[in-house]
Amino acid sequence: MSAISCQGLTKHYGSTIALDNLSLNIEERVIFGFLGPNGAGKTTTLKILTGLSRPTGGKAWVAGEEVAHNSIALRSKVGCLPEDPAFYNWMTGKEYLTFVGEVFRLPSKEIGARCQKLLELVDLTGAASRRIGGYSRGMRQRLGIAQALMNKPAVLFLDEPSSALDPMGRAEVLNTLLRLKEQATTIFLSSHILADVERVCDVVGIIDKGKLVVESGVDELRQRFARSLFEVEFEEMASPFVAMLERLPWVQKVDVAEGSNSSRFIVRARDVAAAKRELPRLIAESGLTLRQYQSVLPTLEDVFIELVGKKGD
Amino acid sequence: MAGFAVLLRKELKQQLRTYRLLIVAAVFLFFGLGTPLLLHYLPRLVPADDMFNMTIPEFTAVDAVQEYLSNFGQVGLLAAILVTMGMVARERESGTAAMILSKPVGRGAFVTAKLAALTLVFTVGIALGGLGCYAYTLIIFGNPGGSNFLVANVVAGLYLLVCLAVTLMFSSFFRSQLAAGGLALVLLIIVALTAGLPVMKDYSPGALLKWANDIAAGSGTNAWGALIVSLLVIVLTLIIGWRVFRGKEL
C-alpha cells in the first residue's frame, strides 16, 4: 500500500508554474528523498501534501487520507517539520512539546512521557526549561524534529531537517530517521545535503522546474548512471598515459586521484561505447602494470548534477 | 472548532507571559485612577481667569465617570488596535501559524481562541480600571451610582469588543500587521463618526459610548439598535475573518 500517492499535482502562482503534473507513489516504511535545486517545487509539494496549500490541479493521498486544504483527518496522521521552524519564543522547549501533545489530544500522562523521550532523543533535556527565544538555530531545528514526532506520525514530512545541525547532530538525526523507518514510519525527506539523502533514503525523486525528472531507488539510480565513469589504477606512475587519454575525442575528462602520483585516475567518457571498447585495449598496449580497472558508480551528487544540469545547491 | 480549548489556554498564557495583559490592565487602571484625581485637582491647578470671567466648575461623580468612559473611544480604541493587529498577521509572517495549523486544529478555532483571549484580557483591564475609577470617585466625589456605573462600563466594553473583532478580522486578511492596524483604525474612526449622523446614530456601534455616558448620568435614553448592530458586527467580522483566513495558504 502506498503511504503517499499523488497524481498530476499542479500548482500555479499567477503565471508561474511551481509544480507541473507531479505524480509520485511512495510505499510504506520507506525513506523518500526529495531533491531539487532552489525553487524547483519541493516546498510547494510539501505544503500541498500537508494540507497547508491548495493544488491548482491533481489529487493526492497521504496515509490513506485524501489530501485536502485544511483537512483535520490528514493532519492527525502526519508530522511536519518546515524548513525554518518557527516557535513561540516565550514558551520553553518542554512547554512547546506539551502544547503540541495537547493539540494532538494525547492523554496528559502520555504527553509527559513523550516529551521526556523526545527531549532525550534530540538532546534537549538540559535546555527543556529554557525559553525557546534563547535557543540556537540548531536547537530550534532539533526541537522542530521532536515536535514533528510527538504524535508518532504514520508519515513524516521533513524539509531540510539537518541543514542547521553540526556533524554530530546530523548523524544523530539520520540515525533517528533510520530507527523511525524500522517503526513503520514513512519519511518524506526534502534535502539539499545529498550525502545525507544517499545515506538514509531508499528511494529518491529529483524535481526540477516543477517537474519530476526521475523517481528511483538510490542504488538503481547510481547503477543507471554508472556507465560514463571508469576507474583505472596502475602499479607505477602513469602521467604520459593520462596525457594521452586526455587528447582522445571520446574522453571528456580525466581526474587523477589526489596523492596517487598519477597512478590512480577516473576517466569520464563522452562516448561510453568507445570507452568500453578502447580503454582496455589502450591499457594493455601501455605496458603498465594494471592494479585495478572498473566501472565506477556515481555518487548521488553526480547523478543530480547530470540530471539537473548544474551544480546542486 | 477542533483544538479551541488548547489554543485558548495557549493564548491566555501568551497574553500573560508577553505582558499584554499587564499593559492593558495598567492602561485602564491608569485612567481609572487618574481621571477622578485629575478632575478633583483641575480647578485648583487652573486659576480662575478674571479677564474673561471664566472659572472651572467643581466636578461631580457623574463628570468623573463620564470622563473616564470617554477614554474608551480614544486610548481604549488605540490599545485594542495595537494589541490585536498582529494576532494573526504576525503568526502568519513568522511561520508559527503554519507550525500549528499543520496539526489537527481548525482555523476557526485558531481565530476564535484569539478573540476569546483578547475579550478576557480587556475584560480584566476594564474591570480593574472600573474598580479604580469607582473607588477614587467614591472617595473624592461621592457615590457614582453602583448599577449605572456597572452597566455603563459593560456597554463601553462592548464598543471595545467591536474594535477587537474588527481589528482581528483585518489581521486575518494580511501578513502585515501594519496594514491590518491601519485599515482597522480607518474603519473604526469612520464607525465612530457615523454615531453623529442623523439616521446612523441609532445603529452605529459608535453610539454605544454616548449611551454609556447617558447611563452613567442616569439618563433614560437607550441605544438598543446600536447594541444589536454591534453584536452582529462582532459575529460577522469573526465569521468573515475565519472564512478569509481559511482560504489563505500558509
Side-chain angles (χ1 to χ4, degrees):
Chain A
M1 189 186 160
S2 296
I4 302 169
S5 166
C6 50
Q7 291 169 5
L9 271 192
T10 305
K11 179 71 182 175
H12 294 183
Y13 292 108
S15 59
T16 308
I17 301 170
L19 215 53
D20 190 1
N21 204 24
L22 178 79
S23 295
L24 280 174
N25 203 37
I26 301 165
E27 297 298 311
E28 284 179 340
R29 305 180 72 159
V30 154
I31 304 183
F32 178 80
F34 199 43
L35 308 172
N38 281 337
K42 301 190 298 290
T43 300
T44 302
T45 309
L46 224 96
K47 283 186 174 181
I48 291 173
L49 293 178
T50 51
L52 290 174
S53 183
R54 212 183 287 107
T56 312
K59 286 197 162 197
W61 292 264
V62 172
E65 297 290 338
E66 183 167 357
V67 173
H69 191 52
N70 295 328
S71 164
I72 299 277
L74 166 71
R75 285 179 275 155
S76 304
K77 293 183 175 179
V78 303
C80 181
L81 171 70
E83 185 173 358
D84 193 8
F87 302 97
Y88 299 110
N89 287 334
W90 54 270
M91 281 188 182
T92 65
K94 190 175 178 184
E95 276 176 337
Y96 191 82
L97 290 183
T98 305
F99 169 57
V100 171
E102 287 169 352
V103 163
F104 280 107
R105 294 180 203 165
L106 302 179
S108 56
K109 214 172 178 179
E110 192 183 337
I111 290 174
R114 289 286 294 159
C115 278
Q116 199 179 342
K117 196 174 170 189
L118 289 170
L119 285 166
E120 276 170 23
L121 180 79
V122 296
D123 197 22
L124 282 176
T125 308
S129 303
R130 272 171 51 194
R131 284 176 70 243
I132 299 171
Y135 279 16
S136 68
R137 193 162 171 236
M139 289 163 86
R140 293 169 81 90
Q141 195 83 6
R142 282 184 277 152
L143 183 64
I145 292 166
Q147 62 84 35
L149 296 172
M150 195 68 194
N151 59 326
K152 297 182 181 169
V155 178
L156 181 61
F157 290 94
L158 303 171
D159 198 355
E160 303 289 352
S162 54
S163 61
L165 303 179
D166 56 30
M168 292 288 284
R170 264 176 62 193
E172 264 304 311
V173 167
L174 297 180
N175 288 336
T176 304
L177 297 186
L178 291 170
R179 281 203 299 275
L180 286 170
K181 183 187 145 191
E182 283 166 19
Q183 293 163 21
T185 305
T186 305
I187 300 167
F188 187 99
L189 172 69
S190 165
S191 180
H192 277 163
I193 305 172
L194 300 172
D196 289 356
V197 173
E198 193 164 7
R199 192 177 142 196
V200 297
C201 292
D202 308 292
V203 182
V204 292
I206 297 179
I207 186 173
D208 189 30
K209 297 183 182 108
K211 284 189 174 196
L212 189 69
V213 181
V214 72
E215 183 189 359
S216 169
V218 174
D219 292 336
E220 187 190 329
L221 196 66
R222 291 174 67 204
Q223 290 287 351
R224 208 195 300 174
F225 285 84
R227 59 190 182 272
S228 64
L229 297 176
F230 300 88
E231 185 178 0
V232 183
E233 188 174 4
F234 291 115
E235 291 283 345
E236 52 280 271
M237 206 176 86
S239 303
F241 185 75
V242 169
M244 183 267 291
L245 286 178
E246 281 174 334
R247 287 194 298 273
L248 294 171
W250 51 266
V251 173
Q252 186 185 349
K253 197 179 169 198
V254 182
D255 291 320
V256 177
E258 214 170 290
S260 70
N261 204 14
S262 303
S263 63
R264 188 159 64 86
F265 51 88
I266 289 173
V267 180
R268 187 182 292 269
R270 189 172 281 127
D271 179 342
V272 179
K276 280 181 177 169
R277 191 175 59 245
E278 295 294 319
L279 201 50
R281 183 181 62 77
L282 291 171
I283 291 169
E285 287 172 6
S286 69
L288 296 164
T289 318
L290 183 67
R291 186 181 283 167
Q292 189 178 201
Y293 168 73
Q294 65 176 0
S295 177
V296 180
L297 285 180
T299 63
L300 198 54
E301 187 170 359
D302 294 324
V303 176
F304 181 82
I305 292 166
E306 191 161 339
L307 283 171
V308 176
K310 57 186 172 188
K311 192 77 186 166
D313 42 9
Chain B
M1 294 287 273
F4 174 78
V6 177
L7 290 174
L8 178 60
R9 264 204 308 278
K10 173 247 152 193
E11 288 296 335
L12 289 173
K13 255 191 215 171
Q14 187 164 8
Q15 300 304 314
L16 197 67
R17 302 265 282 272
T18 56
Y19 306 111
R20 279 187 214 148
L21 176 62
L22 190 71
I23 291 165
V24 170
V27 167
F28 280 97
L29 204 54
F30 175 79
F31 285 101
L33 297 173
T35 307
L37 271 179
L38 181 72
L39 292 196
H40 176 64
Y41 286 110
L42 198 60
R44 291 155 185 79
L45 293 171
V46 182
D49 191 335
D50 294 333
M51 188 183 291
F52 294 102
N53 199 21
M54 276 177 62
T55 49
I56 293 180
E58 286 294 325
F59 293 105
T60 63
V62 170
D63 293 326
V65 175
Q66 287 185 326
E67 188 58 29
Y68 167 66
L69 290 173
S70 72
N71 288 312
F72 280 51
Q74 299 143 24
V75 181
L77 166 73
L78 282 177
I81 291 174
L82 287 172
V83 170
T84 314
M85 64 187 196
M87 289 289 276
V88 180
R90 195 172 38 238
E91 289 222 26
R92 278 183 67 202
E93 195 183 14
S94 69
T96 49
M99 287 284 281
I100 291 308
L101 292 170
S102 63
K103 296 172 175 55
V105 291
R107 296 205 188 188
F110 188 79
V111 176
T112 312
K114 288 186 183 298
L115 185 62
L118 284 167
T119 305
L120 273 169
V121 165
F122 274 77
T123 302
V124 170
I126 292 167
L128 286 174
L131 269 175
C133 179
Y134 187 87
Y136 269 41
T137 304
L138 186 67
I139 295 164
I140 298 169
F141 299 107
N143 191 350
S147 58
N148 278 357
F149 180 83
L150 183 68
V151 175
N153 271 275
V154 170
V155 171
L158 185 64
Y159 169 74
L160 284 187
L161 187 52
V162 172
C163 299
L164 294 173
V166 167
T167 312
L168 190 66
M169 176 186 74
F170 282 118
S171 187
S172 309
F173 288 5
F174 305 104
R175 272 182 196 270
S176 157
Q177 49 180 324
L178 278 178
L183 277 171
L185 182 64
V186 170
L187 184 65
L188 290 168
I189 286 173
I190 292 169
V191 167
L193 292 175
T194 57
L197 297 175
V199 183
M200 305 280 278
K201 69 178 168 47
D202 295 329
Y203 302 101
S204 166
L208 289 177
L209 287 180
K210 186 181 174 301
W211 190 23
N213 265 305
D214 291 346
I215 293 168
S219 153
T221 61
N222 64 61
W224 291 106
L227 188 137
I228 291 166
V229 169
S230 297
L231 291 174
L232 284 174
V233 167
I234 292 164
V235 173
L236 272 177
T237 48
L238 187 62
I239 292 171
I240 293 169
W242 160 53
R243 299 278 297 186
V244 170
F245 185 54
R246 199 175 63 164
K248 297 275 181 194
E249 300 195 349
L250 298 171

Short mmCIF file of all heavy atoms in Angstrom, two decimals, chain A residues 212-235:
data_model
loop_
_atom_site.label_atom_id
_atom_site.label_comp_id
_atom_site.label_asym_id
_atom_site.label_seq_id
_atom_site.Cartn_x
_atom_site.Cartn_y
_atom_site.Cartn_z
N LEU A 212 8.93 16.32 -12.19
CA LEU A 212 9.70 15.20 -11.65
C LEU A 212 10.61 14.68 -12.76
O LEU A 212 10.13 14.23 -13.81
CB LEU A 212 8.75 14.11 -11.16
CG LEU A 212 9.41 13.00 -10.38
CD1 LEU A 212 9.90 13.49 -9.02
CD2 LEU A 212 8.45 11.83 -10.17
N VAL A 213 11.91 14.74 -12.52
CA VAL A 213 12.87 14.31 -13.53
C VAL A 213 13.08 12.80 -13.43
O VAL A 213 13.15 12.10 -14.43
CB VAL A 213 14.23 15.04 -13.34
CG1 VAL A 213 15.23 14.61 -14.39
CG2 VAL A 213 14.03 16.54 -13.37
N VAL A 214 13.14 12.30 -12.20
CA VAL A 214 13.34 10.86 -12.03
C VAL A 214 12.80 10.44 -10.66
O VAL A 214 12.82 11.22 -9.71
CB VAL A 214 14.84 10.49 -12.18
CG1 VAL A 214 15.65 10.95 -11.00
CG2 VAL A 214 15.03 9.01 -12.39
N GLU A 215 12.29 9.23 -10.57
CA GLU A 215 11.93 8.63 -9.28
C GLU A 215 12.46 7.22 -9.32
O GLU A 215 12.08 6.44 -10.19
CB GLU A 215 10.41 8.64 -9.08
CG GLU A 215 10.01 8.09 -7.71
CD GLU A 215 8.51 7.87 -7.55
OE1 GLU A 215 7.77 8.16 -8.51
OE2 GLU A 215 8.11 7.40 -6.49
N SER A 216 13.34 6.89 -8.38
CA SER A 216 14.00 5.60 -8.47
C SER A 216 14.65 5.26 -7.14
O SER A 216 14.89 6.14 -6.30
CB SER A 216 15.07 5.68 -9.57
OG SER A 216 15.89 4.56 -9.53
N GLY A 217 14.98 3.96 -6.98
CA GLY A 217 15.76 3.55 -5.81
C GLY A 217 17.16 4.15 -5.93
O GLY A 217 17.65 4.33 -7.06
N VAL A 218 17.80 4.42 -4.80
CA VAL A 218 19.11 5.08 -4.84
C VAL A 218 20.14 4.22 -5.59
O VAL A 218 20.83 4.69 -6.49
CB VAL A 218 19.61 5.40 -3.41
CG1 VAL A 218 21.02 5.96 -3.43
CG2 VAL A 218 18.67 6.39 -2.73
N ASP A 219 20.20 2.94 -5.23
CA ASP A 219 21.19 2.06 -5.86
C ASP A 219 20.92 1.90 -7.35
O ASP A 219 21.84 1.94 -8.18
CB ASP A 219 21.19 0.68 -5.18
CG ASP A 219 21.72 0.78 -3.76
OD1 ASP A 219 22.47 1.75 -3.50
OD2 ASP A 219 21.35 -0.06 -2.92
N GLU A 220 19.64 1.75 -7.67
CA GLU A 220 19.24 1.59 -9.07
C GLU A 220 19.64 2.83 -9.88
O GLU A 220 20.12 2.72 -11.01
CB GLU A 220 17.71 1.41 -9.10
CG GLU A 220 17.12 1.06 -10.43
CD GLU A 220 15.59 1.14 -10.37
OE1 GLU A 220 15.02 0.87 -9.28
OE2 GLU A 220 14.99 1.52 -11.37
N LEU A 221 19.45 3.96 -9.25
CA LEU A 221 19.76 5.23 -9.92
C LEU A 221 21.27 5.33 -10.18
O LEU A 221 21.70 5.72 -11.27
CB LEU A 221 19.30 6.39 -9.04
CG LEU A 221 19.19 7.75 -9.69
CD1 LEU A 221 18.10 7.77 -10.74
CD2 LEU A 221 18.87 8.82 -8.64
N ARG A 222 22.05 4.95 -9.18
CA ARG A 222 23.51 5.01 -9.35
C ARG A 222 23.98 4.04 -10.42
O ARG A 222 24.88 4.34 -11.20
CB ARG A 222 24.20 4.73 -8.01
CG ARG A 222 23.97 5.85 -7.01
CD ARG A 222 24.52 5.50 -5.66
NE ARG A 222 25.96 5.42 -5.68
CZ ARG A 222 26.67 4.71 -4.81
NH1 ARG A 222 26.08 4.00 -3.88
NH2 ARG A 222 27.97 4.69 -4.89
N GLN A 223 23.36 2.86 -10.45
CA GLN A 223 23.71 1.88 -11.48
C GLN A 223 23.38 2.44 -12.87
O GLN A 223 24.15 2.27 -13.81
CB GLN A 223 22.91 0.57 -11.27
CG GLN A 223 23.31 -0.23 -10.06
CD GLN A 223 24.65 -0.92 -10.22
OE1 GLN A 223 25.22 -0.94 -11.31
NE2 GLN A 223 25.19 -1.45 -9.13
N ARG A 224 22.21 3.09 -12.91
CA ARG A 224 21.75 3.60 -14.20
C ARG A 224 22.70 4.66 -14.75
O ARG A 224 22.86 4.80 -15.96
CB ARG A 224 20.35 4.19 -14.02
CG ARG A 224 19.53 4.10 -15.30
CD ARG A 224 18.30 4.97 -15.27
NE ARG A 224 17.38 4.64 -14.20
CZ ARG A 224 16.29 5.38 -13.94
NH1 ARG A 224 16.04 6.46 -14.67
NH2 ARG A 224 15.48 5.06 -12.97
N PHE A 225 23.33 5.39 -13.86
CA PHE A 225 24.21 6.47 -14.31
C PHE A 225 25.69 6.09 -14.18
O PHE A 225 26.56 6.94 -14.26
CB PHE A 225 23.92 7.76 -13.53
CG PHE A 225 22.65 8.40 -13.98
CD1 PHE A 225 21.42 7.98 -13.48
CD2 PHE A 225 22.65 9.38 -14.96
CE1 PHE A 225 20.24 8.55 -13.90
CE2 PHE A 225 21.47 9.95 -15.40
CZ PHE A 225 20.26 9.53 -14.88
N ALA A 226 25.95 4.79 -14.01
CA ALA A 226 27.33 4.36 -13.79
C ALA A 226 28.13 4.29 -15.08
O ALA A 226 29.34 4.21 -15.05
CB ALA A 226 27.34 2.99 -13.12
N ARG A 227 27.47 4.33 -16.19
CA ARG A 227 28.12 3.99 -17.45
C ARG A 227 29.27 4.90 -17.87
O ARG A 227 30.17 4.47 -18.57
CB ARG A 227 27.08 3.95 -18.56
CG ARG A 227 26.34 5.25 -18.76
CD ARG A 227 25.18 5.05 -19.70
NE ARG A 227 24.49 6.30 -19.94
CZ ARG A 227 23.52 6.76 -19.18
NH1 ARG A 227 23.12 6.06 -18.14
NH2 ARG A 227 22.95 7.92 -19.46
N SER A 228 29.32 6.11 -17.47
CA SER A 228 30.29 7.03 -18.05
C SER A 228 31.60 7.16 -17.26
O SER A 228 32.49 7.86 -17.67
CB SER A 228 29.66 8.41 -18.22
OG SER A 228 29.34 8.93 -16.96
N LEU A 229 31.70 6.48 -16.12
CA LEU A 229 32.90 6.63 -15.29
C LEU A 229 33.69 5.31 -15.20
O LEU A 229 33.11 4.26 -14.94
CB LEU A 229 32.52 7.08 -13.87
CG LEU A 229 31.85 8.45 -13.73
CD1 LEU A 229 31.46 8.69 -12.28
CD2 LEU A 229 32.76 9.56 -14.21
N PHE A 230 35.01 5.43 -15.37
CA PHE A 230 35.87 4.24 -15.29
C PHE A 230 37.06 4.57 -14.41
O PHE A 230 37.73 5.59 -14.61
CB PHE A 230 36.36 3.84 -16.68
CG PHE A 230 35.23 3.50 -17.63
CD1 PHE A 230 34.63 4.51 -18.39
CD2 PHE A 230 34.76 2.21 -17.74
CE1 PHE A 230 33.57 4.22 -19.24
CE2 PHE A 230 33.70 1.92 -18.61
CZ PHE A 230 33.10 2.92 -19.36
N GLU A 231 37.30 3.70 -13.41
CA GLU A 231 38.44 3.93 -12.54
C GLU A 231 39.59 3.01 -12.98
O GLU A 231 39.38 1.81 -13.20
CB GLU A 231 38.06 3.65 -11.08
CG GLU A 231 39.19 4.00 -10.13
CD GLU A 231 38.81 3.78 -8.67
OE1 GLU A 231 37.67 3.35 -8.39
OE2 GLU A 231 39.68 4.02 -7.81
N VAL A 232 40.78 3.59 -13.09
CA VAL A 232 41.95 2.82 -13.51
C VAL A 232 43.07 3.06 -12.49
O VAL A 232 43.27 4.19 -12.06
CB VAL A 232 42.44 3.27 -14.92
CG1 VAL A 232 43.63 2.40 -15.37
CG2 VAL A 232 41.31 3.20 -15.93
N GLU A 233 43.77 1.97 -12.11
CA GLU A 233 44.93 2.14 -11.21
C GLU A 233 46.07 1.25 -11.68
O GLU A 233 45.87 0.07 -11.97
CB GLU A 233 44.53 1.78 -9.77
CG GLU A 233 45.65 2.12 -8.79
CD GLU A 233 45.23 1.91 -7.33
OE1 GLU A 233 44.11 1.44 -7.09
OE2 GLU A 233 46.06 2.21 -6.46
N PHE A 234 47.26 1.89 -11.78
CA PHE A 234 48.47 1.15 -12.18
C PHE A 234 49.42 1.05 -10.99
O PHE A 234 49.31 1.79 -10.01
CB PHE A 234 49.18 1.90 -13.33
CG PHE A 234 48.40 1.88 -14.63
CD1 PHE A 234 47.90 3.06 -15.17
CD2 PHE A 234 48.19 0.69 -15.32
CE1 PHE A 234 47.20 3.05 -16.38
CE2 PHE A 234 47.49 0.68 -16.52
CZ PHE A 234 47.00 1.86 -17.05
N GLU A 235 50.39 0.14 -11.11
CA GLU A 235 51.42 0.00 -10.09
C GLU A 235 52.36 1.20 -10.13
O GLU A 235 52.85 1.65 -9.11
CB GLU A 235 52.26 -1.27 -10.34
CG GLU A 235 51.53 -2.58 -10.11
CD GLU A 235 51.39 -2.93 -8.64
OE1 GLU A 235 52.08 -2.32 -7.81
OE2 GLU A 235 50.55 -3.80 -8.31
#
